[in-house]
Amino acid sequence: MRESADRRTRALQAAGERGLIAGRRVGLEKESLRVSRDGRIAQTPHPEGLGSALTHDEITTDYSEALLEFVTPAFDDPAAALQRLSELHRYTYRQIGDELLWATSMPCIVGGDASIPIADYGHSNIGWMKHVYRRGLDWRYGRSMQAIAGIHFNYSFSEEFLRAVQAQSADRRDFASFRSDIYFRLIRNFQRYGWLLPYLMGASPAICKSFTGGRNIDFDAFSTHTFYTPYATSLRMSDIGYKNNAQAALEVSYNDLESYVASLRAAINTPDPEYSRIGTRVDGEWRQLNTNVLQIENEYYSFVRPKARARSGEQPTCALHRAGVEYVEIRALDLDPFSPIGIEDEQIAFLEILLLFCLLEDSPPIDAAEQNQINANQGLVARAGRDPALTLYRGNGERVGLRQWARELFDAMAGPAELLDEVHDDGRYREILAHYRARVENADDTPSARVLREMRDNGEEFVEFALRVSQTHAETLRQAPISPAALSRLQNAAAASLAEQSRLEAAPEPPFEEFLQSYFAQAPTNGY
């Protein structure tokens, strides 16, 4: 396993190509629930000072009207992405009165589905489509799962670096085809090894009992109002969160662009008997966009997605087929409850090391048997990753201890960390690799262990812990200054987004049914 990534690393070093990796691009998407001072989901509409959730480029909503999503542009310096994310938090706190941004991935007190208002995007066709899609998620999965928050990490390597890798591989295909294939190599390896992130960075080992309506779904009782499992790392990524059983039968291929697009489009075009019983429009009320296995591509929950920049109104799979893979979206990160903005620079640095390793390491196709093992590993680590006796599946049914496998992976990542350090000439990446390696040897140093430790030490329920850290971060962010330039930029963006939504709603449009028919009639075209 180690030889391939190490060999490619050494070849790039020998060819003097290491500096090209500095052109990578980093973007962040961070979700946070707006909550009341007592830790309940906010029932207020999206604040006007934040602009239009439909048309604002950087401040929008995810599933719920209360679930904010901050979206940074892509920067070539991760510090710039973190700075922009911090500015979005500081600006938002100046617009939401005495409400708080919930600091944990698992939600606060859930008073049933009615307490989770579905996001409103106005009455334009595109706005109504986004709302109806969320109604469909409610009918299919319930609203509690949709109130979970996380951070998505968007990453691309520079074209120059990928061309250098292509030259080292003696690959003579056109660059766009090579780029898509090498990103799928990364994606397959991230599927295999991405369980490292919930173990190292997972921070959702406990939930409020209100999340399940009091039902005990194979949990232990931590306290009167809190469920947990003793060795959990990320219940967000477990069977009660995004890795839910409702999509367990989906077979989406990550072996190449064509098979990925074909398998995902099959899911969005195949009727589902259970969803057909729900209906699409019943007694004049829209329940979902369609009755297919997936309403749209985004309904498919996964650790990682290949992405391309879509044109206005273009389906994601059509964008991928036209442009090829342009970047990857990593979706395995919990909010860090100990960070005011939910993520720290060292996490980004480790992700860079891991993704570079996944890109350079050989990555054979994933068959159905291996995919089942990958899914099982993700679930095992989410529910019991800190169990010192935990073993994972590693090919041909072999079981290996999590710590043993993690040590091997850290050995294999030494070369990529060295390559990144040669760009910055400061040894930082190797230091961060050593920092996270210490968590392999001592699970008590992981964020999930720290959450439980603080709850025990303070005699707190999960909600009390989360409310305390949310209040602390709110005070920090409210007191932090925001530059006049950033304030002006975000005020202008909010006003412009409201004007754009008004323009969309005033423009003539076809009936919604025709709009949907046209949207779903799109067919992939190979444009690269």
Side-chain angles (χ1 to χ4, degrees), residues 209 212-221 227-229 240 383:
K209 289 184 178 179
T212 65
R215 292 178 296 116
N216 189 338
I217 311 173
D218 196 22
F219 291 117
D220 291 349
F227 284 136
Y228 85 126
T229 58
I240 67 156
R383 279 265 190 170

Side-chain angles (χ1 to χ4, degrees), residues 77-209:
D77 181 2
L82 289 169
Q83 173 63 24
R84 180 63 63 89
L85 187 61
S86 179
E87 287 174 355
L88 293 171
H89 280 75
R90 284 176 276 161
Y91 177 78
T92 296
Y93 263 114
R94 287 157 172 78
Q95 311 300 321
I96 62 174
D98 65 353
E99 292 177 348
L100 303 170
L101 299 180
W102 198 242
T104 63
S105 282
M106 300 308 290
C108 50
I109 300 169
V110 179
D113 280 351
S115 72
I116 306 173
I118 297 176
D120 179 11
Y121 298 99
H123 59 263
S124 66
N125 278 339
I126 187 62
W128 187 239
M129 179 180 174
K130 289 167 72 72
H131 179 79
V132 172
Y133 164 62
R134 285 155 174 78
R135 287 188 181 183
L137 297 178
D138 176 16
W139 278 96
R140 294 171 178 224
Y141 314 107
R143 298 189 192 184
S144 290
M145 188 186 85
Q146 312 302 326
I148 299 172
I151 287 188
H152 300 165
F153 178 78
N154 299 317
Y155 195 80
S156 64
F157 294 90
S158 72
E159 179 176 332
E160 293 78 11
F161 179 74
L162 293 180
R163 286 188 181 276
V165 175
Q166 183 177 16
Q168 290 292 335
S169 305
D171 190 308
R172 292 182 171 81
R173 288 176 297 169
D174 65 276
F175 174 69
S177 296
F178 171 81
R179 182 184 62 187
S180 290
D181 277 358
I182 201 167
Y183 273 127
F184 271 101
R185 177 204 285 175
L186 179 159
I187 287 168
R188 289 192 299 277
N189 278 335
F190 189 83
Q191 291 246 337
R192 292 179 173 110
Y193 312 131
W195 54 261
L196 271 173
L197 292 187
Y199 174 80
L200 296 170
M201 302 178 189
S204 53
I207 61 171
C208 179
K209 289 184 178 179

